[in-house]
Amino acid sequence: MANGEKNGWTPFPHSKEDARKVHEVPDTAQTRSPAYRLAYVDEDFMMRRELRAVRIGLELMKPEFSFVEHGIKSTVVLFGGARIPEPGKEARAAKNSEQKKNLEQASRYYDEARKFARLCSQYSASSNHHEFVIITGGGPGVMEAGNRGAADVGAPSIGLNIVLPHEQAPNPYVTPNLCFDFHYFAMRKMHFLMRAKVIAIFPGGFGTLDEFFESLTLIQTGRMKRVPILMFGREFWRNVLNLDYLAEQGTISPDDAKLVNYVESAEEGWAIIREFYELDKQ
């Protein structure tokens, strides 16, 4: 469709056309100057600190357009440790023998995350994968298990990677055209929660805790609708967090501790979701 694409006809040249035409102009001192570059294809210009707000907006818009095009209406968020290995695999991220032992024991959560993602994705198929789509941070460990569980049953899944100082690549189970990379943590967090109907938290470290508390704060303050928050691993989380103590001290409401559900298995977590959303009645 000339000049119109799928959004309707326009008499004006498309930005892609002009971006191609700039390569056809004569090679002169003027055309070689950075000042002559079209602003939207000038990488040096786009990276200026003064354009941070523009880049933030682009990181919000790019995945959003893709989700709309794929008809993704709701998601199931999986947070959890990148260092937890698949059962039978070595905990290469361990820094000492005790960490190695504990991480390899925690590999059962890799299995539970994979099973949980599989259950959610099987239900997602009933909506042609528009609802309850798995979304993870796109990395290894629990994130890989989540994307892998979706792939086990032929379902799409989302991965939201972020540029980090150490080398990182998306895990191979993320649906390629739903795999994104971010510079801004804030935009990545927004996309985790903008369509979230479930938040599943598996054992993890600072990143997992950060994502958990952000989600919990939004729900506690009424800035986000209440959704099931599933904490996989009662013993782990009871040692890491003492919400009852916070309630006793008066720093949170007694009812705030009830915003989370401690579970041990994928089946237990899925049962809470089915009851919360009355899926059996649909």
Side-chain angles (χ1 to χ4, degrees), residues 53-64 162-163 181-188 191:
V54 174
R55 295 193 299 275
I56 288 173
L58 291 173
E59 286 206 345
L60 176 65
M61 293 167 67
K62 182 180 177 181
E64 177 66 16
I162 190 158
V163 178
D181 203 14
F182 288 82
H183 173 72
Y184 297 104
F185 265 102
M187 289 301 99
R188 182 176 182 248
H191 282 297

Side-chain angles (χ1 to χ4, degrees), residues 26 34 53 58 150 173 177 204 216 281:
L58 291 173
Y173 302 102
N177 57 359
L216 197 59
K281 297 180 182 180

Side-chain angles (χ1 to χ4, degrees), residues 30-234:
Q30 289 76 22
T31 61
R32 286 194 299 271
S33 169
Y36 189 76
R37 297 173 191 158
L38 289 168
Y40 56 87
V41 295
D42 184 345
E43 187 172 304
D44 292 333
F45 174 70
M46 289 298 293
M47 297 302 165
R48 289 177 64 110
R49 289 194 176 187
E50 297 91 337
L51 292 184
R52 178 177 291 151
V54 174
R55 295 193 299 275
I56 288 173
L58 291 173
E59 286 206 345
L60 176 65
M61 293 167 67
K62 182 180 177 181
E64 177 66 16
F65 289 165
S66 185
F67 296 154
V68 170
E69 288 167 2
H70 284 82
I72 296 173
K73 297 178 180 178
S74 69
T75 57
V76 175
V77 187
L78 268 71
F79 293 135
R83 304 183 186 195
I84 294 176
E86 179 184 356
K89 298 289 182 69
E90 182 182 357
R92 296 185 177 181
K95 303 302 181 184
N96 54 53
S97 59
E98 184 176 7
Q99 283 197 350
K100 184 175 186 296
K101 178 192 72 174
N102 289 333
L103 284 171
E104 290 176 0
Q105 286 179 349
S107 65
R108 66 187 181 90
Y109 294 113
Y110 183 106
D111 265 353
E112 290 306 321
R114 185 176 176 182
K115 291 176 188 174
F116 178 71
R118 195 182 301 147
L119 287 172
C120 295
S121 297
Q122 286 172 332
Y123 181 81
S124 179
S126 66
S127 67
N128 199 26
H129 302 299
H130 293 161
E131 302 277 1
F132 291 91
V133 177
I134 295 295
I135 184 170
T136 80
V142 167
M143 295 174 280
E144 176 185 287
N147 296 118
R148 188 174 182 179
D152 286 341
V153 293
S157 68
I158 303 163
L160 305 183
N161 286 77
I162 190 158
V163 178
L164 297 174
H166 55 274
E167 183 179 348
Q168 181 186 340
N171 72 67
Y173 302 102
V174 180
T175 301
N177 57 359
L178 290 173
C179 187
F180 304 93
D181 203 14
F182 288 82
H183 173 72
Y184 297 104
F185 265 102
M187 289 301 99
R188 182 176 182 248
K189 287 179 178 180
M190 282 195 68
H191 282 297
F192 272 132
L193 299 181
M194 282 173 66
R195 287 172 168 79
K197 274 193 173 178
V198 181
I199 301 170
I201 316 285
F202 290 82
F206 289 159
T208 302
L209 288 167
D210 175 49
E211 291 155 344
F212 164 63
F213 279 117
E214 180 117 33
S215 307
L216 197 59
T217 300
L218 288 170
I219 292 173
Q220 182 212 41
T221 56
R223 296 298 298 166
M224 177 178 173
K225 289 184 179 179
R226 183 170 182 178
V227 302
I229 298 180
L230 309 176
M231 309 292 289
F232 280 80
R234 288 181 179 85

